[in-house]
Every structure is written in structure tokens, then in C-alpha cells.
Amino acid sequence: MFAKDSPPKYHKQRALELYQDGFNYKDIAEKLEFEGYRNRKNNPFSITSIRKWIKDSS
């Protein structure tokens, strides 16, 4: 696991890993929050952000 203050690319990478493991967007958001990942405003990542990352990575 990466440190919670790691660069955003690690947040996206972790989200993609979880998606490939079968997690849905809501579960990914909850898992990232549980693991300590936060956005620049120190808020949990939204489902919308995660959906965009997954779509953009395709």
C-alpha cells in the first residue's frame, strides 16, 4: 500500500487494481477511503472521479 500523501497517480493505479479485482465504483471509493487515500482537498474520492479514471484508462 502507498502512503496516503502519495501522488495522485497512485490513487488511480490502486483504483484500477481494485476494479480489475471485481470491485464496483462505490466499493472502490470506500476501500480507498479506508486505506487513507484522499483528494487534494482532503476529502474522500467520489464515485464520479473513480468512474472517470476507469473510463479514461480503457
Side-chain angles (χ1 to χ4, degrees):
M1 175 171 48
F2 301 103
K4 62 182 174 180
D5 60 347
S6 60
K9 67 180 181 178
Y10 294 119
H11 302 24
K12 293 178 184 181
Q13 179 182 343
R14 181 65 178 137
L16 289 171
E17 290 171 359
L18 293 170
Y19 184 75
Q20 291 170 349
D21 287 343
F23 284 73
N24 63 37
Y25 301 131
K26 181 178 183 247
D27 292 342
I28 293 170
E30 290 173 355
K31 181 79 168 162
L32 289 177
E33 182 177 7
F34 177 78
E35 291 178 357
Y37 291 105
R38 308 290 273 188
N39 67 18
R40 283 183 240 163
K41 295 181 180 180
N42 201 30
N43 294 319
F45 288 104
S46 70
I47 294 169
T48 304
S49 295
I50 293 165
R51 184 179 315 131
K52 185 176 186 302
W53 297 341
I54 302 298
K55 184 179 177 185
D56 290 348
S57 71
S58 301

